[in-house]
Amino acid sequence: MIAGRYRRRVLASVGGTATRPALGRIRQRLFDILQGQVEGRVFADLFAGTGAVGIEALSRGAERAVFVESDARALRVIRRNLAAIGIADRSEVRNQRVQLAVRTISADIYFLGPPYDARLEYERTLNALGARSLDWAIAQHDRRLDLAETYGTLRKVRLVRIGRNRLSMYRHRHGETEL
């Protein structure tokens, strides 16, 4: 279920471990922190899974969302969820590996939550984003995974603990605002 404008909508899900679910309480905390910074922005949901995080961004006022996913089952679920809510026109769904997509996406906020067994994807993706100009790069990860303090020009400004999950929140060094 999502909050915001499209609250109480139940999203279809993807079974198995090919995707990492962004639990409702994680999304709630993320968007509570980003309050007032999502409206009118472009949000990139990398390793999108069901698309729940990007859909939540649209529900909270994002102008547009880009969903990047390479798993065929997950892509079908994302498209089904967007159509069910009626927001496909404000969305772009890319059937692409994240490493290729981040080179061509132009977004303000990037969220990544790779599958549970894809630990190298954090390093690769955050390094690629650290070479770009963006407002936020936010990684959902397991508490046992320690992400670096910096990736290129990105600097970790906040670590949020939510049960067994963490949100590592990065900003460019020139954007020193702490939350």
Side-chain angles (χ1 to χ4, degrees):
M1 201 173 326
I2 58 175
R5 181 176 178 190
Y6 308 116
R7 76 178 118 255
R8 295 188 187 94
R9 299 286 183 100
V10 177
L11 302 176
S13 62
V14 180
T17 60
T19 61
R20 172 192 301 270
L23 302 172
R25 64 185 178 158
I26 294 171
R27 291 192 315 270
Q28 177 70 41
R29 187 76 185 271
L30 169 66
F31 288 101
D32 284 351
I33 292 168
L34 291 176
Q35 190 173 34
Q37 298 184 58
V38 175
E39 294 86 2
R41 313 305 283 283
V42 177
F43 191 96
D45 188 352
L46 310 177
F47 307 96
T50 64
V53 177
I55 291 170
E56 184 93 24
L58 290 168
S59 189
R60 304 271 187 139
E63 178 182 317
R64 198 166 69 77
V66 180
F67 300 86
V68 180
E69 181 57 63
S70 60
D71 182 83
R73 290 181 314 143
L75 284 163
R76 286 190 296 274
V77 168
I78 293 167
R79 288 186 177 107
R80 188 176 334 137
N81 284 334
L82 293 170
I85 296 172
I87 53 176
D89 61 330
R90 296 177 42 216
S91 307
E92 177 184 350
V93 180
R94 291 191 181 194
N95 178 5
Q96 208 173 14
R97 290 185 43 81
V98 167
Q99 296 312 307
L100 297 172
V102 293
R103 298 178 192 158
T104 59
I105 293 173
S106 180
D108 304 298
I109 303 168
Y110 292 79
F111 178 86
L112 60 136
Y116 293 110
D117 60 351
R119 293 178 151 232
L120 282 177
E121 295 298 332
Y122 289 100
E123 192 84 16
R124 292 176 182 150
T125 305
L126 289 167
N127 276 322
L129 292 174
R132 314 244 352 243
S133 179
L134 54 94
D135 292 336
W136 288 100
I138 302 157
Q140 175 190 346
H141 57 94
D142 186 82
R143 69 178 175 212
R144 294 170 296 201
L145 178 62
D146 291 321
L147 297 179
E149 292 297 312
T150 61
Y151 292 95
T153 62
L154 291 175
R155 180 177 72 85
K156 190 185 300 181
V157 296
R158 187 164 183 181
L159 177 66
V160 181
R161 292 168 176 83
I162 308 162
R164 295 185 342 217
N165 288 278
R166 302 292 182 261
L167 292 176
S168 287
M169 304 181 75
Y170 293 87
R171 300 213 59 176
H172 278 277
R173 289 193 194 139
H174 67 272
E176 297 291 332
T177 304
E178 304 264 345
L179 290 177

Short mmCIF file of all heavy atoms in Angstrom, two decimals, residues 34-41 60-63:
data_model
loop_
_atom_site.label_atom_id
_atom_site.label_comp_id
_atom_site.label_asym_id
_atom_site.label_seq_id
_atom_site.Cartn_x
_atom_site.Cartn_y
_atom_site.Cartn_z
N LEU A 34 12.31 13.29 3.07
CA LEU A 34 12.39 14.10 1.84
C LEU A 34 11.23 15.08 1.70
O LEU A 34 11.14 15.76 0.67
CB LEU A 34 12.41 13.19 0.62
CG LEU A 34 13.66 12.33 0.42
CD1 LEU A 34 13.49 11.43 -0.78
CD2 LEU A 34 14.90 13.20 0.29
N GLN A 35 10.41 15.18 2.70
CA GLN A 35 9.22 16.03 2.63
C GLN A 35 9.56 17.40 2.06
O GLN A 35 10.51 18.06 2.49
CB GLN A 35 8.63 16.18 4.03
CG GLN A 35 7.28 16.84 4.04
CD GLN A 35 6.68 16.79 5.43
OE1 GLN A 35 7.38 16.86 6.42
NE2 GLN A 35 5.37 16.68 5.49
N GLY A 36 8.78 17.82 1.06
CA GLY A 36 8.98 19.12 0.43
C GLY A 36 10.06 19.15 -0.63
O GLY A 36 10.25 20.15 -1.31
N GLN A 37 10.79 18.04 -0.82
CA GLN A 37 11.87 18.01 -1.80
C GLN A 37 11.55 17.14 -3.01
O GLN A 37 12.35 17.06 -3.93
CB GLN A 37 13.16 17.53 -1.15
CG GLN A 37 13.62 18.47 -0.04
CD GLN A 37 14.94 18.03 0.51
OE1 GLN A 37 15.91 17.93 -0.23
NE2 GLN A 37 14.99 17.75 1.79
N VAL A 38 10.40 16.50 -3.02
CA VAL A 38 10.02 15.60 -4.10
C VAL A 38 9.12 16.31 -5.12
O VAL A 38 9.20 16.03 -6.32
CB VAL A 38 9.32 14.34 -3.53
CG1 VAL A 38 8.81 13.44 -4.63
CG2 VAL A 38 10.26 13.59 -2.61
N GLU A 39 8.31 17.24 -4.64
CA GLU A 39 7.34 17.91 -5.50
C GLU A 39 8.01 18.55 -6.71
O GLU A 39 8.99 19.28 -6.58
CB GLU A 39 6.56 18.99 -4.72
CG GLU A 39 5.68 18.43 -3.64
CD GLU A 39 6.40 18.21 -2.33
OE1 GLU A 39 7.60 18.53 -2.23
OE2 GLU A 39 5.78 17.68 -1.40
N GLY A 40 7.45 18.25 -7.88
CA GLY A 40 7.94 18.84 -9.12
C GLY A 40 9.27 18.32 -9.61
O GLY A 40 9.84 18.83 -10.57
N ARG A 41 9.79 17.28 -8.99
CA ARG A 41 11.11 16.74 -9.33
C ARG A 41 10.98 15.46 -10.13
O ARG A 41 9.93 14.85 -10.20
CB ARG A 41 11.92 16.44 -8.06
CG ARG A 41 11.95 17.52 -7.02
CD ARG A 41 12.43 18.88 -7.51
NE ARG A 41 13.83 19.02 -7.70
CZ ARG A 41 14.72 19.18 -6.73
NH1 ARG A 41 14.35 19.21 -5.48
NH2 ARG A 41 15.99 19.31 -7.01
N ARG A 60 3.55 11.47 -4.00
CA ARG A 60 3.96 12.58 -3.13
C ARG A 60 4.32 13.84 -3.92
O ARG A 60 4.91 14.76 -3.38
CB ARG A 60 5.15 12.15 -2.29
CG ARG A 60 4.92 10.91 -1.46
CD ARG A 60 4.36 11.23 -0.11
NE ARG A 60 4.31 10.04 0.72
CZ ARG A 60 4.62 10.04 1.99
NH1 ARG A 60 5.01 11.13 2.58
NH2 ARG A 60 4.52 8.92 2.68
N GLY A 61 4.00 13.87 -5.22
CA GLY A 61 4.15 15.10 -5.97
C GLY A 61 5.27 15.17 -6.98
O GLY A 61 5.47 16.22 -7.60
N ALA A 62 6.03 14.10 -7.16
CA ALA A 62 7.08 14.12 -8.19
C ALA A 62 6.43 14.38 -9.55
O ALA A 62 5.33 13.89 -9.84
CB ALA A 62 7.85 12.81 -8.22
N GLU A 63 7.10 15.14 -10.37
CA GLU A 63 6.58 15.45 -11.70
C GLU A 63 6.59 14.21 -12.59
O GLU A 63 5.67 13.97 -13.36
CB GLU A 63 7.44 16.54 -12.35
CG GLU A 63 7.04 16.90 -13.75
CD GLU A 63 7.96 17.94 -14.35
OE1 GLU A 63 8.31 18.90 -13.65
OE2 GLU A 63 8.34 17.76 -15.52
#
